[in-house]
Amino acid sequence: MKTVACIVQPGFAPFEFGLACEAFGLDRSDDGIPNFDFRIVAPEPGPVPANMGFSINVDADLAFADEADLVVITPIPREAWDRIDERVIGVVQRAVARGAWVLTVCSGSFVVAAAGVLNGRRATTHWRYADTMAAMYPEIDVDPNVLYVQDGRIITSAGTAAGLDACLHLLRIELGAEMTNTIARRMVVPPQRDGGQAQFIAKPLPESSSLSLAPVAEWMLENLTLDLSVDQLAHRAHMSPRTFARRFKADYGTTPAAWLGRQRIIQAQRLLEQTDLGLDAIAAECGFGSAAVLRQNFGRMLGLTPTAYRARFTCTAPAADAAARPAAA
């Protein structure tokens, strides 16, 4: 992935637009991160009003989006959901047809839905709009509980900050875990959040502070090689297993087992990038037990084998070469 087109339309949301600019438009070459040719485009060049009383001046039309490796769709206002600009719909349809990445933030998913390219696919949007999307587009499997969904080369994300999770997910696919961690550190955000929107729907804040479980989570990270059961973790937290499981899900948005599995995959990514350890040794280091279990979990979560991941993201390869390799399907 080398070129990125970010489409803005009247009534765009500034924060979500800024996420795309931060993720793909910032020069991070001093950290060894390859730059993207990032351009902001609009159906009509000129002033494009935001939804907060100001405008930005966009010089470029949609022509660049027809050749970009990634097309980012920023949110559009609710009143525009049933009258999407046909020119933007055409860009999305052609991007999908030629195999480019398409990433939406929040209600930008309604643009891709209107293009018909999500029919028969799984997708998400802000939890407040999920029912509306499902009613407008019954051919789409709308999941209101996740932060983002990747189906093929289309990534849809939930509201606001979940767009950053989706951007980091794509950067992880394109640049590897270590470079993406560097980007996340500069953003002062976690490189990968666990859980989904479900933790925000009923109540914006968990009933208990995650500080109470932070020492246990840190201990889990330091002991990935162990067979960590809920009973063992609950004992360490001085809770009953049932209370621990409930509190962990409330604070982290997912089960202890799912969280632990994700952390083991992240560690496996680092070892594949930075060492020449064999798969059996990496599996043992990460707590998977065997190379077969590592392959199964790695493929399910990342969509490619550990060997393919290492070939693409090993740190011995120049950054420019890594960025130039084709994206994994």
Side-chain angles (χ1 to χ4, degrees):
M1 190 175 79
K2 295 182 178 180
T3 53
V4 180
C6 179
I7 299 178
V8 291
Q9 300 175 78
F12 73 92
F15 181 84
E16 289 83 344
F17 165 68
L19 293 181
C21 296
E22 176 76 14
F24 304 109
L26 197 63
D27 182 353
R28 298 185 178 91
S29 55
D30 57 337
D31 280 332
I33 310 295
N35 290 327
F36 301 109
D37 182 356
F38 176 84
R39 306 185 198 181
I40 301 163
V41 301
E44 292 289 342
V48 179
N51 63 2
M52 292 186 177
F54 68 89
S55 298
I56 61 170
N57 193 66
V58 179
D59 296 329
D61 61 18
L62 297 176
F64 179 72
D66 267 330
E67 59 188 56
D69 300 321
L70 165 64
V71 176
V72 180
I73 311 292
T74 56
I76 58 173
R78 189 164 189 161
E79 58 270 18
W81 291 353
D82 58 354
R83 48 182 177 85
I84 309 294
D85 193 307
E86 291 293 335
R87 293 168 292 184
V88 178
I89 287 178
V91 166
V92 171
Q93 291 171 336
R94 292 188 294 272
V96 173
R98 72 174 189 275
W101 284 103
V102 175
L103 185 150
T104 72
V105 183
C106 194
S107 63
S109 56
F110 282 83
V111 176
V112 181
V117 298
L118 286 177
N119 292 349
R121 295 178 184 260
R122 182 166 163 260
T124 193
T125 190
H126 194 293
W127 59 266
R128 293 184 62 188
Y129 311 140
D131 288 343
T132 302
M133 187 176 193
M136 290 178 65
Y137 303 100
E139 304 89 352
I140 301 173
D141 179 11
V142 181
D143 188 342
N145 297 316
V146 294
L147 295 175
Y148 59 85
V149 170
Q150 179 192 344
D151 193 318
R153 295 176 73 83
I154 301 175
I155 300 174
T156 51
S157 66
T160 314
L164 185 55
D165 295 286
C167 291
L168 289 171
H169 171 71
L170 179 53
L171 287 169
R172 194 174 298 110
I173 293 172
E174 288 292 328
L175 301 179
E178 196 61 30
M179 285 191 181
T180 303
N181 289 348
T182 299
I183 293 171
R185 281 194 296 270
R186 282 190 54 165
M187 291 180 176
V188 199
V189 297
Q192 191 158 314
R193 288 195 296 167
D194 294 281
Q197 294 191 83
Q199 60 189 307
F200 303 110
I201 294 174
K203 46 187 178 298
L205 297 175
E207 292 178 356
S208 59
S209 169
S210 62
L211 292 176
S212 62
L213 295 183
V216 178
E218 291 172 5
W219 183 82
M220 292 166 71
L221 290 175
E222 294 169 357
N223 294 275
L224 295 177
T225 59
L226 301 180
D227 183 12
L228 302 177
S229 67
V230 170
D231 287 348
Q232 181 182 3
L233 296 171
H235 177 74
R236 193 170 190 85
H238 306 292
M239 300 176 184
S240 70
R242 178 176 294 183
T243 298
F244 175 80
R246 177 178 58 81
R247 291 275 295 273
F248 194 97
K249 189 166 186 179
D251 286 2
Y252 288 88
T254 190
T255 65
W259 187 87
L260 184 62
R262 179 63 62 87
Q263 304 311 313
R264 284 172 167 157
I265 288 294
I266 292 173
Q267 177 64 4
Q269 288 177 277
R270 294 192 184 106
L271 293 174
L272 287 165
E273 291 180 22
Q274 299 176 12
T275 76
D276 58 1
L277 290 173
L279 293 188
D280 284 316
I282 291 176
E285 287 279 340
C286 299
F288 285 116
S290 71
V293 176
L294 170 61
R295 290 189 191 96
Q296 180 182 15
N297 285 271
F298 203 92
R300 176 176 55 82
M301 193 168 294
L302 297 180
L304 72 168
T305 67
T307 301
Y309 184 91
R310 168 172 273 167
R312 185 173 174 197
F313 294 122
T314 178
C315 289
T316 58
D321 292 345
R325 296 188 183 104

